[in-house]
Amino acid sequence: MNAVVVGCGKVGSELARTLVNDGHNVSVIDNQQKCLDEVSGDLDVMAYLGNGSDLAVLKEAGIEDADIFIAVSTSDELNLLTCLMAKEETRCETIARVRNPLYSREVDFFKARLGLSKIINPEHLAATEICNLLQFPALSRIDFFEGSDVAIATLTVKREFKFVGKSLEHIMKEEPALKALVCAVVRNGESIIPRGNFIIETGDVVTIVATRTDMRKFLKAENVHSTPAENVLIVGAGTITYYLVQELLEKGKRVRVIEMDENKCNRFSEAFPNADIIRGDGTDRKFLMRQGLKSADAFIPLTGIDEENLVIATYAKSYSNAKVITKVSRTDMSDLIKTLNIDSVVFPKLICADIIAQYVRAKEAGAGGDVATLFRYLDDTLEILEFKAAAGSLVTNIPVKEMRLKKSLILAGITHEGRYHVPTGESVIKDGDSVIVVTTLKGITSLNNILDRTL
């Protein structure tokens, strides 16, 4: 497919990387030559200097032949305008990044009036991910499949966990009522799709699929303590914090926000009278202690500086028992982050890239079923995909045991008529079912792709 991306900042560059890696032709537009040079120096893309609202620049970048147009500049207004222009000139799909909470309330209006295919808000998505983690503090990451209660999560195994030293087959026999599946494991840096005889060891990073209720039951049964956080301390009053505070207050949590800027403090105090907004330096260790760091259930640095967030998070982890979550904008810091003792790190631009990659793959998919959801886990070595099984798919109406599935792939869940279950050899996929696939393979676009046709 041909894609045009307006905006080569952190989100735009990551989107370009994702689309190129998935085999698409990508053109990028930005009004700063430095940004274009950085992207084109790393990726096989066509780069165009100019304003995204300049029709001549859009045409030069190939908008007339584009299948998808994505506007992710730093300006919400520019993103909406360029998508409108693209829609007027072509029949391509249009996606806009819109971050302002005021505009976010009018998503349906913008989609209808401007003909947008999708509006993406990375900051709101990041806030939702953080909120989910606060419900399951033992997990390092948790995501929910859209429109369902089924979750995918990662957990670092500690020696006190009950399932240490046991095979996956033994775990399932020991707790037959638990509908949770360990579908991937990272051991010594290698991502593995385990089989029944795989034995869990201390230090493994396991990926689990289960409903929200079954996830909590599984953690409790395996001696994994994960009590939802009630007392949350946040540093930084930016856009992610705005959405996060909104969600936490709706859930009845106690929320305190530390911010240096007086104007931001005033805005947050007006917007959230039920939260404690504290003016002060969130990087001051003594100040954090005075504001109750030791008594907090969760500590979340969300300043605009990655390095600052990581330093504060590391300090908090050393001097409190709080669940520590932070956000990082730069994905090139992932190797450094692995050396730090931080519970969870959220990358907003990766979330955005996953959503758009999911949308593009859905457009590519054939009769085998569309990609409804896509998550990339474990440094992009693992893909978790949800498909909607369509009539005519090669995997419908036959038992799983008769399927010749590709290696490095596992069926992790089937949802039939709203009810999720862990697949067995006797399970049968029906038209319209949601099917979760976990794999270390790249570029799977339909359910038909999971079959090994060379056998």
Side-chain angles (χ1 to χ4, degrees):
M1 295 178 72
N2 298 320
V4 176
V5 178
V6 175
C8 289
K10 291 173 180 148
V11 173
S13 59
E14 186 61 35
L15 284 177
R17 184 181 307 280
T18 299
L19 293 169
V20 168
N21 289 343
D22 278 355
H24 304 296
N25 303 315
V26 180
S27 298
V28 294
I29 300 171
D30 201 282
N31 57 13
Q32 295 188 38
Q33 188 64 51
K34 181 182 177 182
C35 293
L36 292 173
D37 290 342
E38 289 176 354
V39 173
S40 59
D42 289 340
L43 302 171
D44 183 15
V45 299
M46 298 295 292
Y48 299 89
L49 180 65
N51 192 302
S53 62
D54 186 333
L55 186 57
V57 174
L58 295 179
K59 288 185 175 181
E60 186 182 0
I63 189 175
E64 293 168 329
D65 297 319
D67 300 297
I68 188 164
F69 180 88
I70 308 162
V72 288
S73 77
T74 55
S75 168
D76 290 349
E77 293 80 6
L78 178 61
N79 293 338
L80 293 170
L81 175 60
T82 54
C83 281
L84 175 61
M85 295 174 66
K87 204 66 181 177
E88 288 292 318
E89 290 295 317
T90 72
R91 293 184 178 180
C92 69
E93 305 287 335
T94 54
I95 298 175
R97 177 173 75 162
V98 176
R99 301 186 296 173
N100 190 315
L102 179 63
Y103 294 154
S104 294
R105 300 188 194 107
E106 307 298 335
V107 167
D108 292 337
F109 172 84
F110 286 123
K111 288 178 69 175
R113 293 300 180 91
L114 303 183
L116 292 170
S117 305
K118 204 168 190 65
I119 288 180
I120 297 203
N121 187 333
E123 285 75 13
H124 189 241
L125 292 168
T128 298
E129 183 168 324
I130 293 171
C131 205
N132 289 335
L133 281 166
L134 294 177
Q135 295 300 304
F136 295 88
L139 303 175
S140 56
R141 179 176 172 182
I142 183 168
D143 295 287
F144 286 87
F145 293 93
E146 188 174 355
S148 79
D149 204 34
V150 181
I152 180 86
T154 55
L155 172 71
T156 300
V157 177
K158 299 179 181 179
R159 62 171 177 253
E160 65 266 25
F161 293 173
K162 188 178 173 183
F163 60 5
V164 171
K166 299 177 182 177
S167 70
L168 299 183
E169 190 175 53
H170 180 82
I171 294 168
M172 294 184 73
K173 286 181 179 178
E174 195 173 52
E175 300 286 354
L178 293 180
K179 299 184 178 74
L181 178 69
V182 175
C183 55
V185 179
V186 172
R187 179 177 294 169
N188 299 323
E190 180 186 2
S191 295
I192 303 165
I193 302 295
R195 300 304 171 191
N197 60 354
F198 187 91
I199 297 175
I200 300 295
E201 296 179 0
T202 300
D204 286 347
V205 179
V206 299
T207 300
I208 306 163
V209 176
T211 64
R212 185 189 299 268
T213 300
D214 287 322
M215 186 74 72
R216 202 171 293 288
K217 288 180 180 177
F218 176 80
L219 295 176
K220 183 177 180 180
E222 300 301 338
N223 197 34
V224 182
H225 301 292
S226 194
T227 303
E230 298 293 332
N231 181 5
V232 182
L233 180 60
I234 305 170
V235 176
T239 308
I240 294 178
T241 302
Y242 184 96
Y243 290 119
L244 179 59
V245 171
Q246 195 173 49
E247 290 193 42
L248 290 175
L249 290 177
E250 288 175 359
K251 294 179 182 295
K253 310 297 183 180
R254 183 193 174 192
V255 181
R256 289 169 293 158
V257 179
I258 297 172
E259 171 58 53
M260 277 283 289
D261 187 280
E262 183 177 3
N263 291 329
K264 287 184 178 180
C265 285
N266 291 336
R267 287 199 297 270
F268 266 66
S269 294
E270 292 176 6
F272 305 111
N274 293 328
D276 296 325
I277 312 301
I278 307 154
R279 189 182 178 200
D281 185 359
T283 65
D284 185 324
R285 299 177 183 184
K286 292 181 180 179
F287 182 77
L288 287 177
M289 286 298 187
R290 289 198 301 271
Q291 298 308 319
L293 173 60
K294 280 203 168 181
S295 63
D297 298 323
F299 177 73
I300 310 170
L302 296 174
T303 76
I305 303 172
D306 288 344
E307 294 82 359
E308 202 170 83
N309 289 335
L310 293 173
V311 170
I312 304 170
T314 303
Y315 172 76
K317 192 62 184 173
S318 300
Y319 291 92
S320 78
N321 293 318
K323 166 74 174 182
V324 178
I325 308 170
T326 190
K327 70 95 179 176
V328 172
S329 298
R330 291 170 49 190
T331 54
D332 59 359
M333 300 183 75
S334 58
D335 289 338
L336 169 63
I337 292 167
K338 290 177 186 176
T339 67
L340 304 176
N341 186 23
I342 300 174
D343 295 321
S344 301
V345 179
V346 173
F347 295 90
K349 70 176 182 177
L350 291 183
I351 299 173
C352 183
D354 281 357
I355 295 290
I356 293 177
Q358 162 194 314
Y359 188 87
V360 173
R361 286 202 197 176
K363 291 301 171 184
E364 284 188 296
D370 286 350
V371 179
T373 312
L374 166 67
F375 297 117
R376 300 176 200 263
Y377 268 55
L378 310 176
D379 293 334
D380 276 0
T381 60
L382 189 73
E383 291 193 352
I384 299 97
L385 305 106
E386 181 189 22
F387 296 94
K388 296 294 184 182
S393 170
L394 299 177
V395 301
T396 54
N397 302 315
I398 59 171
V400 169
K401 65 183 180 183
E402 295 181 14
M403 297 181 191
R404 296 178 175 180
L405 299 176
K406 289 179 178 177
K407 293 181 180 180
S408 302
L409 178 151
I410 188 171
L411 292 183
I414 299 173
T415 300
H416 178 70
E417 295 182 347
R419 297 187 64 181
Y420 166 83
H421 70 270
V422 176
T424 67
E426 304 301 323
S427 298
V428 176
I429 298 170
K430 298 292 185 179
D431 294 351
D433 285 356
S434 293
V435 183
I436 298 171
V437 176
V438 178
T439 180
T440 55
L441 304 174
K442 301 292 183 182
I444 292 180
T445 59
S446 79
L447 273 176
N448 289 344
N449 293 154
I450 71 176
L451 298 177
D452 188 344
R453 303 187 196 181
T454 64
L455 296 174

